[in-house]
Amino acid sequence: MTQTVPQNPLQDAALQPYRFFLQQRGEIFSTELARITEQYGSLRAYANLHHSLGAHKIKDAAGRSFWRLREYMPHAAALWLTTDALNFQRHAHFQFTPQAEGFFELVVPEESLHHGSYMELRVQPGNASHGARALRRVPAFARWVEQDTVMPGQWCARLWLPEKPFRFTHRRPARQPFPRIYEAHVGMAQPSLQRNKNSVGSYAAFAAHVLPRIRECGYTAVQLMGILEHPLYRSFGYQVSSYFAPCSRYGTPDEFKALVDAAHSLGLAVILDVPHAHACPNTEQGLARYDGSDYFFSGTLNQWGTPSFDFSQEMTRRFLLSNCRYWLEEYRVDGFRSDAVGNILYLDHGMDDDFSHVGRCFYDKDGKPRGNTCGELYLALSNTLTHQLCPSAITIAEEFSGMPGLTCPPEQGGLGFDYRFAMGIPDYWAKCVVSPRDMGSMWYEMTNHRPYDRTISYVECHDQCINGKDAMIWRLLGERMYSHMALATDNWAVSRGLAFYRLMRLITLATADAGYLNFMGNEFGHPEWLDAEDHAHRQWHLAESPDLKYSLLAAWDKAQMLELVQPHLNSFHQTPFFRFIHEEKRLLAFERGRLLFAFNFHELDAQKNLTFAVTPGKYTELLSSDERRFAGHGNLDISGQPVEHFTQPLPDRPEGAIHLYLPPLVGLVLLRKNNLKKD
């Protein structure tokens, strides 16, 4: 009896014990969305705090302009605006007036503020003792925040109101099937040859030099980390202080808009990495203890020692939803990569748990429900809002526990993401680098996902390449990367490492369910990690040096994007179909649409007549990882006249037999044509 493949978690028989939790998601979401629509008119109108809070120039009935500033500080007793014009001193005329429900409002003449004005808040908490010093705070909705050059520990908001506002000239690109995502960090994308000790890459330089490289390499989207303002540079942007301000280290807000516009001109989508799970612990620079209380946060620290948002508060949810709307509308980004989604899904943040069983997603070690239903509600609302505002938007969950259904709509037991990252794959490759794993486990790890969860695969993202962590290529080659990467040199360990690296990237791409990601520089085997100090750069010149093997690794990555995926997207829309495996000989083969992939992971043994069953037809060799243009040995170099293979009939079977030659540590891609006659 044929079993029906489940299309969502509610149809998944394995999840029936947890059906209550899955249905509850949809019920809570639909009830809240109905309330929001009735009370506010729409979800978009609900996510409008950035229009009502912060500093805004408005006009009265007589047409006179003035500034209205509003803040939400429910636990503050008094609040003042201080500026550089006031020498950052409190003045009675710049004290906010308390409003209902924790809001404060201040109206000042138009001439009080201008483009570039420095602004700070002084807060008197309600629980402060008499005569206590007022707290310094950067306004929560500041759109431009700068670090003090004299006192680096100090940050200050500036009013962004240029005479000529930036105008976008290019439309968002259409949504691309099977997205190929290039993850990057603007500040640390600076060329190593141009870097000095304290330099940081800029929006302008990234737009001019890195974006064209990304496009030329065949990627369809750029995923940017570290854009939201953060005082601790080595946090890579994951301790955000100002959620509505693009990082000033790289340039002005308009220069970031120009970067987005430039990406769109190249047909690249821009995905913003947003840390909505937790925030910067700094008080003077960020939201922590904003009004002297826990404010938007739970009051307990997470595994990173930073405050986690309290999603049970409606104002917390509205703040973060407004943040999503702001970046989509003001900067025209094309979607979000949501960081640390597990920190939002679980009341205990999922700490100290390997989630070895799906039941761990719903119950903790003591058998108690662990789900944060308010966190789930926020995620469902944010994904809904994002797709309402921008139907072509991409939303991706970085989530470690394997929570089922993240990429299904709430009414089907999901949370509405488009994709989730296959985070187990880089962990698996890290183990393979240490010691070989069996081929069965490789096939399992590469293809392991529920049929209704759309996943994006990768060999390594920034997690494997920052703060002294070793990228896969370094784990394979080590210090030899400094001495044996010239074409004129030969070394068995390097040759073996490069061959294995090419196989890692090919099979990860070939089995990727719905998309693929690469971290900047890894496409050419960048030899160093990334940090905020000695290695805050990328050695782009290595990929441009024809006498180095780095350039040939770059060619391999480019060929996979432009010669394999782009011309054969229809095949990548289909699920990989297992065909052959041999553990002792370390062989694996599978079909995907009209493409046939065959791998020999053995380090020594060549397969001179590998035979297995495939869909009948004529197969033409399309790509070989052993080609010399990719730093291969040329034992299976198809750069000349590609070899054609005709399948032979198999008795009593619909498949045909194919015969292939596979040298050691080589992957071969063939294209099937439904033509059994030799031309």
Side-chain angles (χ1 to χ4, degrees):
M1 182 176 178
T2 303
Q3 292 185 340
T4 303
V5 177
Q7 300 300 308
N8 58 64
L10 296 178
Q11 297 178 359
D12 195 335
L15 297 178
Q16 288 307 301
Y18 320 108
R19 187 179 179 86
F20 166 78
F21 298 105
L22 300 170
Q23 289 179 320
Q24 181 180 242
R25 288 179 184 171
E27 292 167 0
I28 292 175
F29 168 77
S30 59
T31 300
E32 178 63 3
L33 186 60
R35 182 193 73 83
I36 289 171
T37 303
E38 180 180 357
Q39 186 172 342
Y40 294 88
S42 67
L43 183 57
R44 180 177 183 271
Y46 181 71
N48 72 339
L49 290 186
H50 56 299
H51 289 309
S52 60
L53 299 181
H56 298 278
K57 182 183 282 191
I58 59 177
K59 291 184 178 181
D60 61 17
R64 293 170 297 191
S65 296
F66 57 93
W67 289 96
R68 186 186 69 192
L69 296 91
R70 299 185 75 227
E71 289 287 336
Y72 174 69
M73 290 195 174
H75 291 87
L79 180 64
W80 293 264
L81 172 71
T82 66
T83 69
D84 52 341
L86 300 173
N87 199 27
F88 294 105
Q89 299 299 309
R90 286 182 284 172
H91 288 260
H93 293 304
F94 286 81
Q95 182 173 358
F96 286 71
T97 301
Q99 305 288 306
E101 300 180 338
F103 292 94
F104 286 78
E105 182 173 289
L106 171 65
V107 175
V108 296
E110 180 182 14
E111 60 271 17
S112 300
L113 299 171
H114 56 81
H115 175 65
S117 289
Y118 288 86
M119 302 186 301
E120 285 185 345
L121 299 176
R122 295 290 186 270
V123 185
Q124 192 70 50
N127 58 1
S129 60
H130 180 72
R133 185 177 180 181
L135 306 175
R136 299 176 55 162
R137 293 293 183 264
V138 173
F141 289 86
R143 303 188 179 196
W144 184 17
V145 180
E146 283 191 342
Q147 185 175 20
D148 192 308
T149 55
V150 178
M151 300 180 65
Q154 296 297 328
W155 292 72
C156 192
R158 299 188 69 183
L159 187 66
W160 183 257
L161 192 69
E163 286 188 25
K164 294 183 179 180
F166 181 87
R167 295 188 180 278
F168 290 92
T169 58
H170 297 91
R171 293 183 177 181
R172 284 189 171 101
R175 185 166 176 170
Q176 294 292 314
F178 196 82
R180 283 130 280 162
I181 303 171
Y182 195 93
E183 184 185 24
H185 186 289
V186 170
M188 299 175 190
Q190 59 181 322
S192 60
L193 298 181
Q194 300 173 16
R195 178 180 178 265
N196 59 49
K197 184 176 181 180
N198 298 314
S199 67
V200 173
S202 69
Y203 295 127
F206 191 90
H209 304 296
V210 182
L211 286 180
R213 177 189 297 272
I214 295 171
R215 180 56 182 166
E216 290 167 5
C217 289
Y219 290 87
T220 62
V222 56
Q223 177 181 299
L224 296 177
M225 55 192 294
I227 296 299
L228 280 63
E229 190 61 88
H230 50 286
L232 183 64
Y233 194 45
R234 65 175 178 269
S235 78
F236 292 88
Y238 291 108
Q239 294 187 21
V240 174
S241 54
S242 298
Y243 279 81
F244 292 81
C247 182
S248 59
R249 293 180 179 91
Y250 322 138
T252 67
D254 279 2
E255 287 172 329
F256 179 60
K257 289 180 180 179
L259 184 158
V260 175
D261 203 35
H264 290 170
S265 74
L266 297 170
L268 293 170
V270 178
I271 302 170
L272 202 62
D273 198 335
V274 289
H276 280 183
H278 60 108
C280 165
N282 302 35
T283 54
E284 289 195 356
Q285 296 92 353
L287 294 175
R289 311 290 302 176
Y290 191 57
D291 60 357
S293 73
D294 290 331
Y295 199 55
F296 287 154
F297 305 101
S298 64
T300 58
L301 300 181
N302 52 42
Q303 56 266 49
W304 303 288
T306 58
S308 293
F309 282 103
D310 179 4
F311 294 98
S312 67
Q313 298 185 47
E314 182 176 24
M315 282 299 287
T316 300
R317 300 195 300 269
R318 288 191 67 189
F319 174 84
L320 294 173
L321 289 170
S322 300
N323 193 236
C324 293
R325 178 182 170 186
Y326 172 75
W327 289 101
L328 287 167
E329 293 183 340
E330 183 71 18
Y331 289 92
R332 297 193 186 181
V333 301
D334 303 286
F336 303 107
R337 179 257 196 199
S338 293
D339 177 65
V341 167
N343 200 54
I344 300 174
L345 291 178
Y346 302 109
L347 293 170
D348 58 8
H349 309 309
M351 291 191 289
D352 300 322
D353 201 327
D354 60 4
F355 291 91
S356 56
H357 185 271
V358 68
R360 309 292 292 166
C361 294
F362 302 96
Y363 295 100
D364 64 17
K365 296 177 181 179
D366 298 323
K368 298 178 182 178
R370 71 192 309 182
N372 185 347
T373 56
C374 294
E376 291 182 341
L377 173 61
Y378 166 70
L379 292 172
L381 289 172
S382 66
N383 283 312
T384 301
L385 174 69
T386 298
H387 292 115
Q388 284 182 357
L389 295 175
C390 181
S392 63
I394 296 173
T395 60
I396 309 172
E398 190 242 10
E399 201 279 314
F400 56 82
S401 74
M403 171 65 76
L406 290 188
T407 63
C408 296
E411 59 270 19
Q412 295 179 4
L415 295 175
F417 285 98
D418 292 302
Y419 309 101
R420 69 181 304 157
F421 282 131
M423 297 185 68
I425 292 179
D427 292 338
Y428 175 78
W429 284 127
K431 296 173 184 176
C432 289
V433 169
V434 175
S435 61
R437 293 298 194 265
D438 63 277
M439 302 308 294
S441 71
M442 182 178 296
W443 174 253
Y444 175 80
E445 292 293 343
M446 294 299 110
T447 59
N448 177 33
H449 64 87
R450 294 179 177 86
Y452 44 79
D453 274 336
R454 297 180 298 275
T455 60
I456 289 177
S457 298
Y458 55 100
V459 173
E460 54 204 335
C461 66
H462 70 266
D463 287 333
Q464 286 75 37
C465 307
I466 62 175
N467 287 336
K469 293 182 182 178
D470 293 335
M472 297 300 174
I473 190 72
W474 184 267
R475 302 181 200 197
L476 288 166
L477 305 185
E479 295 284 345
R480 299 182 187 89
M481 297 194 74
Y482 295 134
S483 57
H484 290 82
M485 289 295 280
L487 291 182
T489 64
D490 196 13
N491 177 278
W492 158 246
V494 171
S495 178
R496 178 258 182 203
L498 294 180
F500 190 74
Y501 190 62
R502 292 193 296 270
L503 292 187
M504 290 167 64
R505 297 180 71 84
L506 176 59
I507 197 170
T508 303
L509 174 65
T511 55
D513 169 52
Y516 179 77
L517 176 136
N518 168 65
F519 181 67
M520 66 173 184
N522 290 349
E523 70 276 10
F524 62 87
H526 200 282
E528 294 170 347
W529 56 90
L530 195 68
D531 61 25
E533 297 168 348
D534 294 338
H535 299 283
H537 58 75
R538 295 283 85 178
Q539 299 189 59
W540 302 111
H541 63 282
L542 297 177
E544 299 162 356
S545 302
D547 58 336
L548 296 178
K549 295 172 185 176
Y550 294 106
S551 66
L552 304 190
L553 285 181
W556 171 236
D557 192 76
K558 187 173 182 179
Q560 291 180 95
M561 299 298 119
L562 296 179
E563 299 177 28
L564 176 58
V565 180
Q566 188 59 41
H568 305 290
L569 280 173
N570 288 337
S571 290
F572 276 85
H573 289 165
Q574 302 182 48
T575 303
F577 185 77
F578 173 81
R579 278 302 186 187
F580 180 79
I581 192 169
H582 195 295
E583 288 294 351
E584 289 75 19
K585 295 181 180 180
R586 301 191 59 73
L587 302 171
L588 180 64
F590 55 90
E591 293 182 52
R592 187 164 194 176
R594 293 171 55 219
L595 296 170
L596 173 62
F597 298 87
F599 293 86
N600 182 357
F601 275 87
H602 202 286
E603 296 185 3
L604 300 175
D605 293 348
Q607 297 299 313
K608 297 181 179 180
N609 189 27
L610 173 61
T611 304
F612 57 95
V614 296
T615 302
K618 179 178 75 172
Y619 287 81
T620 303
E621 294 180 351
L622 184 66
L623 204 62
S624 164
S625 68
D626 195 45
E627 296 181 52
R628 293 189 183 278
R629 61 176 175 144
F630 307 136
H633 290 284
N635 294 318
L636 184 56
D637 198 325
I638 65 173
S639 56
Q641 183 67 29
V643 176
E644 295 179 343
H645 301 264
F646 293 84
T647 58
Q648 302 298 318
L650 290 170
D652 302 321
R653 293 182 62 178
E655 300 91 353
I658 193 170
H659 308 278
L660 300 176
Y661 166 60
L662 278 183
L665 288 177
V666 169
L668 176 64
V669 186
L670 304 97
L671 176 65
R672 185 185 75 249
K673 297 183 179 180
N674 295 323
N675 176 12
L676 292 174
K677 297 180 180 180
K678 295 185 178 181
D679 296 330

